[in-house]
Amino acid sequence: DSGVTQTPKHLITATGQRVTLRCSPRSGDLSVYWYQQSLDQGLQFLIQYYNGEERAKGNILERFSAQQFPDLHSELNLSSLELGDSALYFCASSVGLQGNTIYFGEGSWLTVV
Amino acid sequence: GENVEQHPSTLSVQEGDSAVIKCTYSDSASNYFPWYKQELGKGPQLIIDIRSNVGEKKDQRIAVTLNKTAKHFSLHITETQPEDSAVYFCASLLYSGGGADGLTFGKGTHLIIQP
């Protein structure tokens, strides 16, 4: 168990809908990362937050957004969902910004039908 | 941006033999290289990592080597066991004064340990 908690584990929703994925980082970790894993694209970095502020952006679509709250938990919001958004979404966390090990949660499996 | 190539995509070895997975990266400024193991239905689990100021690191049956000149790093697993069967991912990251972007992952290697 990495200590990173993600909910829900599984989610099925229709095209055009909006969903929110939630992440609690390991105790003491200030950085939160979101990754998407799909068969065709592999594991791709979406976005990083550090202590409530956005620090880095990867291949995140404009329909997706995230935030990190004062208690350090994070949410990834996916809107106007398309079939191609079906994927595993991972949250990861680390203590700080530099030189720290990044730990992954078990993922949220999103199926868009 | 950074690109990480990983080979082979599938590797089948006899139990007890060694397994080697290789990765190359494109950004010479990258300075952190972790390896993750992912089992079916689970998240990636860090198994070993190496930083650019080190050429080799070992942890029991697992070792990683880094050749900065060639921009190449490898994972070595000795005395393989059935529980080593999984998908292994290499990754790279550039840490700088301002922090770092996310990890860039290879496509993964499906390691199969034959009994």
Side-chain angles (χ1 to χ4, degrees):
Chain A
D1 183 4
S2 67
V4 180
T5 304
Q6 290 187 246
T7 57
K9 293 193 186 311
H10 302 276
L11 188 59
I12 302 175
T13 190
T15 54
Q17 295 298 306
R18 172 190 169 95
V19 299
T20 297
L21 309 180
R22 182 189 168 99
C23 169
S24 293
R26 295 188 328 144
S27 177
D29 284 3
L30 298 179
S31 272
V32 169
Y33 311 78
W34 286 97
Y35 288 81
Q36 180 193 59
Q37 185 175 36
S38 61
L39 280 175
D40 54 343
Q41 297 292 326
L43 264 165
Q44 287 206 313
F45 168 64
L46 296 178
I47 197 163
Q48 178 200 5
Y49 279 80
Y50 175 76
N51 204 21
E53 293 189 6
E54 182 185 306
R55 289 304 301 245
K57 258 186 176 178
N59 300 318
I60 189 166
L61 299 173
E62 285 192 9
R63 299 183 286 107
F64 297 178
S65 65
Q67 53 185 326
Q68 186 179 26
F69 295 88
D71 67 352
L72 301 178
H73 91 271
S74 177
E75 292 181 355
L76 179 66
N77 301 296
L78 314 175
S79 61
S80 303
L81 285 167
E82 303 175 359
L83 295 177
D85 297 328
S86 295
L88 255 175
Y89 291 85
F90 287 108
C91 174
S93 73
S94 64
V95 171
L97 285 172
Q98 298 188 49
N100 304 121
T101 301
I102 300 170
Y103 295 93
F104 281 75
E106 296 292 281
S108 292
W109 183 268
L110 172 66
T111 302
V112 182
V113 297
Chain B
E2 171 73 298
N3 183 51
V4 176
E5 299 282 343
Q6 182 171 349
H7 299 281
S9 56
T10 303
L11 178 60
S12 181
V13 301
Q14 289 295 123
E15 182 178 349
D17 288 350
S18 295
V20 180
I21 302 170
K22 300 182 179 183
C23 289
T24 58
Y25 59 99
S26 61
D27 190 339
S28 57
S30 291
N31 50 18
Y32 174 64
F33 306 92
W35 286 88
Y36 287 85
K37 174 184 180 183
Q38 187 176 22
E39 296 174 319
L40 197 61
K42 296 192 173 183
Q45 176 192 5
L46 180 75
I47 56 172
I48 196 167
D49 57 11
I50 192 167
R51 302 184 193 277
S52 58
N53 57 347
V54 176
E56 184 173 358
K57 184 177 178 180
K58 190 173 181 180
D59 182 4
Q60 299 182 351
R61 296 187 297 109
I62 295 173
V64 57
T65 59
L66 172 65
N67 182 329
K68 285 191 298 182
T69 303
K71 291 188 283 187
H72 170 273
F73 58 114
S74 299
L75 177 71
H76 304 253
I77 305 174
T78 59
E79 301 172 7
T80 53
Q81 300 168 4
E83 54 264 36
D84 294 330
S85 293
V87 179
Y88 290 80
F89 292 94
C90 63
S92 73
L93 184 65
L94 168 62
Y95 279 113
S96 63
D101 285 346
L103 293 164
T104 300
F105 283 89
K107 293 292 187 185
T109 296
H110 186 192
L111 177 61
I112 302 166
I113 307 301
Q114 303 279 6

